[in-house]
Amino acid sequence: MGRKDKPKLAVWKFASCDGCQLSLLDCEDQLLDIAGAVEIAYFPEATKAVQPGPYDLSLVEGSITTPHDAERIHQIRRDSKFLVTIGACATAGGIQALRNFKDVREFARIVYASPQFIDALNKSTPIADHVKVDFELRGCPVNKKQLIEVLSAFLHERKPNVPTHSVCVECKRQSIVCVMVAHGTPCLGPVTQAGCGAICPAYCRGCYACFGPKETPNVAALGCWWHDELDVPYRDVVRALRTYNAVAPPFEKESVRNEH
Amino acid sequence: MSTRTIKVDYIARVEGEGAMRIEINDGKLTDVKLKIFEPPRFFEALLRGRDYTEAPDITARICGICPVAYLMGAVHAMEMICSVKIPKPIRDLRRLIYCGEWIESHILHMAMLHVPDFLGYPDAIAMAKDHPDVVKKALKIKKIGNGIMTLIGGREVHPINVRVGGFYKTPTKRQLESLVEDLKWGLDASLDMVRVVSGLKFQDFEHDYEYACLRHPDEYPFNEGRLISNKGIDVPISEYDDVLVEEHVEHSTALHSYVKGRGPGHVGPLARYSMNFDKLTPLAKEAAHEAGLAETCYNPFKSIIVRGVEVVLAFEEALRIVDDYEEPDHPYENVEPRAGTGYGCTEAPRGICYHRYTIDDAGTIQDAKIVSPTAVNQKAIEKDLWHFVEANLDLPDEELQWECEQAIRNYDPCISCSAHFLNLEVKRT
């Protein structure tokens, strides 16, 4: 690699469930090798040791939901040579972005007895709405193999090999019977980016799009298919599009269109 | 006047974002605060208007470390509303996936988050240089726990195969049997881990906690049972709200949960163990005795041993379930929604996790309430810090800080599990 020092890795958290950074600790077979290849400079979930920036690679989990976090991400960007967002919260606002379709003050009143203590932004937004992001890794949660691929690509100074085609391609490759054609099960696979290994169809379930929209998805056509062929009411199409990647533009656009 | 301030701006090796601040004035402890600055995500609000079948997957996103706890709490609550009876193989598979979560979460906490405190390392990776065998063994045990979750659930974080009424697809007998070799190895390895952690040096610190947990007549509790405590609670989970209540306080966390009329409750492995010792398997009991534990344990620093004993139990339970398993005729029971309120309370690795939902006849969620174990334990953690610091005022700052962080990690706090916790102005001084 020609580097004298090991590259410094930082892992940051915003509004999230911790599941994506846990995926790094879940790489049981590779964890000690990863720790050998990089210097883990900032990763509070795993270590109390903190190295000051700048960092060669920052992995960012979570979405921006508070005024403080909206400022914090800029400092992290300044301190990071490469910044990679991991997971649906960081790349598409996450499940907490459902507030974007409602009044956040109303949400606060439902949950908290004293909503005046709450200091939350009206919208949950992806990291790329705030700073330049060098690569976005999808998934709720991210796939471990793809996470290792991103780290490996970074270490070898190449582009990560993360396909942008649909879940349908993964099903075909694994000879999984199409749940929509064979069983009439509504499935978002045709508009969803691959990466999970098509686990839902493999378990006889329709894909629920936790990896977000694929490249150039035709969400409108799929919505019509669900409605016309599978008798799914449009309000359920809206619900299906509004989960973990609700404000990814192709999903948001179609859910808003179907709402009316 | 001399003021000592012990503070940690970002507590490491816990799940989520928290801080600690302790103030000592003229040699007297004057303030202890555990601050949570995890941003609010409003789960209870965003669930309103969603379909009852969506609650398991949506609430799983509260926590990536213990998604099974949320999946299970939600399905049980919805099945209570819709009067669904779950056949034995499905019930057993639910226990099995929970065994997987206990194993991976407990081992993660023991070996990667907590042991480094005892041995004076910043993290498990630094520890692995001097103790490679322990770390490698722990990683392998953890992988087996994750393997159970992946086989039953499709993946380890946010499993996709759990639904109201059962599973989307149930495994074959042969698939489950493929786990046996690993489970047997894991059982032996977890007995070793109990021995390793029982040899650590423990603070001499005990406290008269109110232990709250589930109690089931026939088994160590996972998904079902009555809510009990060592100070007299004994109610069905539908009466949870009558005994454990919440208040919204300003300093750092939103909703503090406490036992009505008494004070902090303590949930998690110490509570489960001390209230259900008789339901442990003979081997788990033996491991506990060998590790020097009595039938109850009131030293929070020893929770690391109890987690180990529960890992032994989880491996034995997993082996029993695989052995007993008969493939069900259908992977799930059909469920028809109807208006009502239902409750789910299960034993997450960190303690009881409570769900309450009200749905209408169409199955649309009208109201939701979720209480994570860490919301209950927060007050107990602060109280522990208070007692611990008072008893150790003579320690130098750095040492006191280290020990206090360890006292927090005793609870394996999962701050991301914070349906309630909110962001406040955190004064960093």
Side-chain angles (χ1 to χ4, degrees):
Chain A
M1 285 194 314
R3 283 200 188 93
K4 264 190 185 158
D5 300 320
K6 289 198 283 186
K8 285 165 80 175
L9 173 74
V11 183
W12 307 92
K13 175 182 158 64
F14 290 85
S16 68
C17 77
D18 277 44
C20 290
Q21 47 177 315
L22 177 71
S23 298
L24 196 56
L25 299 178
D26 277 346
C27 297
E28 290 98 359
D29 291 337
Q30 299 88 2
L31 185 64
L32 295 178
D33 290 337
I34 294 169
V38 298
E39 182 187 350
I40 297 177
Y42 184 85
F43 187 4
E45 184 166 303
T47 178
K48 64 191 283 176
V50 174
Q51 309 291 332
Y55 307 100
D56 295 292
L57 174 63
S58 277
L59 300 177
V60 179
E61 174 192 89
S63 67
I64 303 297
T65 61
T66 68
H68 175 251
D69 281 354
E71 287 177 22
R72 187 162 65 100
I73 189 61
H74 285 279
Q75 186 59 46
I76 290 169
R77 176 69 266 191
R78 282 193 289 276
D79 286 343
S80 308
K81 197 168 165 194
F82 284 94
L83 189 154
V84 172
T85 50
I86 54 170
C89 297
T91 60
I95 187 77
Q96 57 273 18
L98 292 182
R99 83 180 69 174
N100 299 17
F101 302 96
K102 299 277 168 76
D103 175 2
V104 75
R105 284 164 302 176
E106 176 58 26
F107 266 33
R109 271 196 296 277
I110 291 171
V111 180
Y112 300 102
S114 311
Q116 70 274 15
F117 296 166
I118 303 282
D119 186 18
L121 295 170
N122 291 334
K123 292 188 188 310
S124 166
T125 44
I127 302 299
D129 282 12
H130 300 264
V131 296
K132 179 178 173 287
V133 171
D134 297 301
F135 188 77
E136 291 188 316
L137 187 62
R138 304 278 198 83
C140 182
V142 295
N143 175 286
K144 282 196 300 194
K145 286 183 194 146
Q146 288 199 332
L147 185 59
I148 290 170
E149 165 58 18
V150 166
L151 292 173
S152 171
F154 167 77
L155 288 168
H156 295 92
E157 297 178 19
R158 62 171 172 81
K159 196 169 167 255
N161 180 13
V162 173
T164 54
H165 56 233
S166 72
V167 170
C168 294
V169 177
E170 292 192 305
C171 271
K172 301 295 167 288
R173 279 190 178 147
Q174 295 179 53
S175 306
I176 296 168
V177 173
C178 179
V179 294
M180 196 148 64
V181 172
H183 308 135
T185 303
C187 180
L188 287 170
V191 297
T192 301
Q193 182 168 305
C196 62
I199 39 179
C200 286
Y203 280 75
C204 303
R205 175 181 189 177
C207 164
Y208 63 85
C210 67
F211 274 59
K214 80 184 234 330
E215 198 175 46
T216 63
N218 192 342
V219 188
L222 186 68
C224 284
W225 183 274
W226 276 31
H227 180 264
D228 297 347
E229 305 291 327
L230 305 175
D231 289 330
V232 177
Y234 276 115
R235 65 163 196 281
D236 287 347
V237 175
V238 173
R239 261 186 198 153
L241 293 171
R242 285 190 183 164
T243 59
Y244 315 102
N245 293 275
V247 298
F251 287 179
E252 181 171 10
K253 183 178 157 212
E254 201 51 30
S255 76
V256 170
R257 196 178 69 85
N258 277 307
E259 204 170 20
H260 304 296
Chain B
M1 190 173 97
S2 75
T3 302
R4 279 171 81 191
T5 307
I6 313 282
K7 65 186 175 81
V8 180
D9 287 336
Y10 196 145
I11 303 163
R13 302 206 314 274
V14 302
E15 291 86 27
E17 301 175 288
M20 172 190 82
R21 186 185 168 88
I22 291 163
E23 269 193 26
I24 301 159
N25 283 306
D26 288 337
K28 196 171 178 306
L29 178 63
T30 52
D31 199 22
V32 170
K33 281 196 174 73
L34 179 65
K35 296 180 171 185
I36 303 293
F37 48 101
E38 185 80 23
R41 294 198 291 148
F42 305 112
F43 274 92
E44 287 139 318
L46 60 85
L47 282 163
R48 290 192 181 184
R50 303 299 300 207
D51 195 64
Y52 76 111
T53 57
E54 296 180 299
D57 289 319
I58 289 178
T59 58
R61 268 65 184 186
I62 291 172
C63 180
I65 325 292
C66 48
V68 171
Y70 291 90
L71 292 167
M72 292 298 136
V75 296
H76 281 88
M78 296 308 179
E79 287 160 7
M80 181 191 278
I81 299 174
C82 305
S83 296
V84 181
K85 274 196 78 76
I86 296 299
K88 181 173 185 294
I90 303 291
R91 185 182 188 278
D92 271 0
L93 286 174
R94 286 178 170 175
R95 276 177 78 81
L96 182 56
I97 193 171
Y98 227 145
C99 286
E101 180 161 290
W102 277 26
I103 292 167
E104 71 83 21
S105 175
H106 274 356
I107 285 288
L108 172 76
H109 185 257
M110 290 168 65
M112 322 254 336
L113 310 183
H114 210 191
V115 164
D117 278 331
F118 288 91
L119 298 179
Y121 294 96
D123 53 63
I125 288 157
M127 198 176 87
K129 293 194 177 82
D130 300 331
H131 304 275
D133 294 347
V134 173
V135 175
K136 282 180 185 162
K137 185 172 275 184
L139 284 169
K140 194 168 167 195
I141 299 173
K142 183 169 166 302
K143 190 181 171 188
I144 296 171
N146 275 333
I148 299 173
M149 306 242 293
T150 304
L151 175 63
I152 314 289
R155 62 184 170 197
E156 56 275 77
V157 179
H158 304 325
I160 50 85
N161 191 27
V162 173
R163 60 180 288 167
V164 178
F167 293 89
Y168 288 90
K169 187 181 178 184
T170 43
T172 61
K173 178 85 175 171
R174 181 178 285 194
Q175 280 177 311
L176 283 197
E177 282 171 349
S178 72
L179 296 170
V180 167
E181 205 174 315
D182 277 348
L183 294 176
K184 284 182 174 164
W185 182 89
L187 179 58
D188 281 344
S190 58
L191 287 164
D192 282 347
M193 289 300 287
V194 173
R195 279 178 216 121
V196 169
V197 296
S198 67
L200 299 169
K201 193 172 166 290
F202 293 98
Q203 295 285 341
D204 185 18
F205 180 84
E206 288 200 348
H207 193 70
D208 177 29
Y209 299 106
E210 174 150 10
Y211 279 151
C213 64
L214 294 182
R215 169 100 181 152
H216 187 278
D218 307 319
E219 60 196 16
Y220 204 75
F222 279 80
N223 282 314
E224 295 160 39
R226 285 171 71 83
L227 176 62
I228 64 159
S229 86
N230 57 344
K231 299 203 190 281
I233 296 172
D234 185 359
V235 295
I237 58 162
S238 56
E239 289 170 28
Y240 180 104
D241 291 323
D242 297 333
V243 293
L244 281 163
V245 291
E246 291 175 306
E247 66 177 354
H248 193 181
V249 294
E250 188 169 357
H251 74 76
S252 86
T253 60
L255 303 176
H256 267 190
S257 186
Y258 59 96
V259 182
K260 199 173 184 177
R262 281 204 287 273
H266 179 135
V267 301
L270 286 178
R272 275 194 299 263
Y273 172 88
S274 299
M275 304 294 291
N276 290 285
F277 182 85
D278 59 323
K279 301 295 179 204
L280 285 170
T281 55
L283 193 58
K285 282 181 186 166
E286 199 184 307
H289 281 312
E290 264 183 37
L293 291 181
E295 296 187 5
T296 54
C297 178
Y298 289 89
N299 181 343
F301 291 90
K302 290 190 175 171
S303 62
I304 191 170
I305 311 177
V306 174
R307 284 191 187 88
V309 171
E310 288 195 333
V311 173
V312 171
L313 170 101
F315 273 115
E316 281 209 285
E317 178 68 0
L319 281 163
R320 178 198 68 79
I321 291 167
V322 172
D323 193 42
D324 279 5
Y325 183 63
E326 284 173 25
E327 292 172 29
D329 298 332
H330 200 63
Y332 57 89
E333 296 298 300
N334 285 314
V335 181
E336 286 296 322
R338 64 176 191 215
T341 297
Y343 308 85
C345 188
T346 74
E347 286 285 357
R350 289 151 193 82
I352 47 173
C353 179
Y354 171 70
H355 294 230
R356 183 195 73 207
Y357 300 96
T358 301
I359 66 173
D360 66 11
D361 273 323
T364 306
I365 296 170
Q366 307 295 306
D367 180 62
K369 177 181 177 180
I370 297 157
V371 184
S372 74
T374 299
V376 181
N377 276 339
Q378 251 187 290
K379 282 205 151 189
I381 296 173
E382 282 189 354
K383 213 170 168 184
D384 270 12
L385 285 172
W386 193 278
H387 289 290
F388 183 76
V389 174
E390 265 190 339
N392 293 280
L393 281 169
D394 50 335
L395 287 178
D397 281 6
E398 201 180 326
E399 209 173 314
L400 191 57
Q401 181 191 320
W402 182 287
E403 303 281 358
C404 286
E405 284 187 65
Q406 187 175 353
I408 295 170
R409 281 191 281 268
N410 284 337
Y411 288 81
D412 190 8
C414 187
I415 296 167
S416 298
C417 268
S418 52
H420 297 314
F421 301 159
L422 79 166
N423 182 42
L424 290 169
E425 281 291 296
V426 179
K427 293 189 192 92
R428 294 166 192 264
T429 49

